[in-house]
Amino acid sequence: MRYRDYCNITFEQIELMKRTISFNGTRLRGWKYKSFQIHQNCICRDESNVVALQELLYLGLMTANDTQQYSLTDDGIQLLSWVTEVEIYE
């Protein structure tokens, strides 16, 4: 994936990616080198986030499991880890 593709990702899409894996600051481990373990990787589509999810799907950061559920790909997890400066693993 090219850098110019990542430049177009909005703050709303980053927050949507965080909600997909239930990322929040309360479940981080470690003090200096923070990490986060994914327990679920799924979000349902609704009217408010359909455009953002389709753009992430087009960039290859998410996959569609069926018509209503989306999950992060390995590239999406890696990008989110880079943005949040937290090691994210499954």
Side-chain angles (χ1 to χ4, degrees):
M1 178 130 284
R2 296 176 304 245
Y3 174 75
R4 67 183 177 134
D5 294 334
Y6 290 143
C7 289
N8 298 328
I9 295 175
T10 63
F11 180 74
E12 174 193 357
Q13 290 171 328
I14 296 294
E15 289 299 314
L16 192 60
M17 291 169 70
K18 286 181 182 179
R19 278 193 319 198
T20 303
I21 61 171
S22 299
F23 181 88
N24 59 16
T26 60
R27 292 179 32 203
L28 294 179
R29 295 184 183 153
W31 177 71
K32 188 172 182 180
Y33 302 105
K34 296 177 181 159
S35 63
F36 177 80
Q37 183 176 7
I38 297 174
H39 293 288
Q40 74 175 32
N41 187 359
C42 172
I43 193 167
C44 292
R45 183 181 75 180
D46 60 9
E47 296 299 321
S48 64
N49 63 12
V50 68
V51 174
L53 284 172
Q54 289 298 323
E55 290 175 6
L56 292 171
L57 185 66
Y58 174 74
L59 290 173
L61 300 175
M62 294 192 110
T63 59
N65 296 341
D66 57 20
T67 58
Q68 296 292 324
Q69 293 194 350
Y70 291 79
S71 60
L72 285 176
T73 61
D74 291 336
D75 289 339
I77 292 171
Q78 194 172 35
L79 175 72
L80 192 59
S81 180
W82 179 74
V83 168
T84 59
E85 297 178 348
V86 173
E87 180 188 352
I88 300 173
Y89 60 96
E90 293 189 53

